[in-house]
Amino acid sequence: MMLDGCTPWPAETAERYRRAGQWRGIDLGSLPRAWADAYGAATALVAGPERISYDELADRVDRRAAGFVREGVRPGDRIVLQLPNVAQFVETAFALFRAGAKPVFSLTSHRAQEVRHLCELSGASGYVVPGLFRGFDHTALGRQLAAELPALRRVFVMDGTSGTGAADGDGLVVPLEKVDAEPLPLPANDPSDVAFFLLSGGTTALPKLIPRTHDDYAYQTRTVAGQSGLGPGSVYLAALPVEFNFAWGCPGVVGTLSSGGTVVLAPDPTADDCFRLIEAERVTLTSVVPTVARLWLEERQWSDADLSSLEVLQIGGARLEPELAARIAPELGCRLQQVFGMAEGLLTMTRPDDDPHAVLHTQGRPVSEADEVLIVDPSTGAPVPVGEAGELLTRGPYTLRGYYRAPEHNARAFTEDGFYRTGDLASITPEGRLVVEGRIKDVVIRGGDKIAAGEVEAHLVTVPGIATAAVVPVPDEFLGERIYAFLVSRAEEEAPPLSALKAALQERGLADFKLPDRAEYVADLPLTPLGKIDKKVLSAAAADPEYSRDWGQAPPTPAAAAVAPAPVPAPTR
Ligand code: J2J
């Protein structure tokens, strides 16, 4: 039985995946103990000065799971999990699986807007926070949300950090280290039920939740780990935040642990930290977004770190320029693996035996023989000839059949026969390799972070003085894309400058990575023949200051006033 609000695979499809051995009836909560039985004293996790064996990890997971049960966490409960790359992330996620609860993975950069939405949508009964982290008081946010949302009964605060009113005895705030009790015999999870929720990169004003089942995620991680040749000698560096599907399960943390390897958690993806860890821990595999790869290449010229252990660098999450791709092997001394993926499911990767041209210019083949991929004309839905670009549609044993509690959106995001409309434009080579050509979804991919234009627009129009807002990506050499906002101000009211807009959005509690990089006021917005805002025209205008802002309409009304861009921030991924 699947959790209410989720869409199961049709029974005969599920049966097919079981018969083919893709779904093997695995409960993610049982994995740490199974791994301990297989790999015992070997090092599972390296986090800061700590080295945690498989035995120790399983013991901690058992104790924490019992601790959660003692704190009132019940099977089926949703718990928002917002921790950085620390051992507690891994321990807590598996302890929640073990207790039958369903973690909802949140980014540490999420603020009140995002976390409130995640708590509300999931009906979360708990929120796990890092206390005071990078200057933000997550415990205070937890208190505020608990006051607003009756379902939210506990805020669990990570060990060793502080925050407003941590553990002051009112029973709401509980230190994570106290979530610890004598192990209990706990019931197993139904492998076809939801294990946890990932956040969608989104296309709508409100982010969506992606239910991932025990069986589908176990299959994804096992398959990718197998294809990546992972084994007990492998050392995976989690350079990206572990709540990102790429770092958690592609093969990432879960795939590496399933193979008896060692996971090294990097506090952030900077070259300084990561090069030091690659050298010290003899890392063999890591995964980054193109922006991080570019930073590493720049830094490589100044660093004498020994990176000779690194065999494979996976790059994915955003378009990889062939020019950057070509620099990886010669300058970092490792093999490049291109990865195209999505929290919703489908993963494609280049393989070790692919010819060099395919590795540089394609995103490789789907990881499962059961992945079904269609390229269709976005307006008619008809398949396009091989080699031509169209919208990528997919279904398969680890691709969702519906977002959580989103029936109306699901009716648009899936075809009647269950294919997920990815919103990506792609083509397939005659050899069956995917080439990402662009996208039709209304999303900005800024250094690997996904920002739904509609979400930022919905916040911008709440700022006094703003009548209409349209957000589009603008190409950027360093981040790939930046966020460009076209705005129409209200007559008689002062048009707020970019700094005031950002301050207003931050004040509303929107995560920093979603703030516009540039704002331009225009007299009106261009419309398509159907009367929708013409984002193609706006994207062209954002990229070219000379582009006429009269949008081909008469009479021309310039009134454009560009505001200076922000300084380059460090990428969060
Ligand atoms: C162009 N665009 C890409 C690529 C993803 C592995 C790797 C990435 C993700 C991920 C992931 C791209 N070239 N190589 O979950 O396990 C864009 C597409 C896609 C969206 C999904 C994984 N790789 N993209 O990035 O859910 O637009 O997952 O639909 O964050 O990123 O974003 P997300």
Side-chain angles (χ1 to χ4, degrees), residues 199-201 210 217 220 244-247 249-250 289-290 315-320 338-347 363 420 422-424 436 438-439 441 443 445 448 450 573:
L199 193 66
S200 160
I210 299 162
Y217 215 72
Q220 170 183 312
F244 186 18
N245 186 40
F246 195 6
C250 182
V289 295
I315 305 186
R319 184 184 151 73
L320 177 64
Q338 290 217 42
V339 181
F340 167 85
M342 58 192 71
E344 282 82 355
L346 179 70
L347 299 170
Q363 283 65 56
Y420 168 57
T422 65
D424 289 304
V436 183
R439 47 183 195 275
K441 59 187 167 190
V443 169
I445 304 187
K450 315 296 179 323
R573 285 180 184 167

Side-chain angles (χ1 to χ4, degrees), residues 297 313 324-336 359-360:
L297 285 169
L313 179 64
L324 194 65
R327 291 175 57 192
I328 301 300
E331 295 182 38
L332 293 177
C334 60
R335 187 164 67 74
L336 162 69
V359 173
L360 296 184

Side-chain angles (χ1 to χ4, degrees), residues 341-367:
M342 58 192 71
E344 282 82 355
L346 179 70
L347 299 170
T348 73
M349 308 191 311
T350 56
R351 311 292 158 88
D353 53 358
D354 280 346
D355 64 78
H357 185 270
V359 173
L360 296 184
H361 297 276
T362 81
Q363 283 65 56
R365 282 170 291 127
V367 301

Side-chain angles (χ1 to χ4, degrees), residues 471-510:
V471 164
V472 291
V474 59
D476 181 83
E477 191 195 346
F478 177 68
L479 289 172
E481 292 173 5
R482 282 178 182 272
I483 306 172
Y484 200 108
F486 282 96
L487 303 164
V488 179
S489 63
R490 286 190 189 285
E492 323 271 306
E493 281 185 56
E494 205 178 313
L498 180 65
S499 56
L501 289 171
K502 286 180 158 187
L505 265 42
Q506 274 177 316
E507 179 67 20
R508 290 179 60 79
L510 196 67

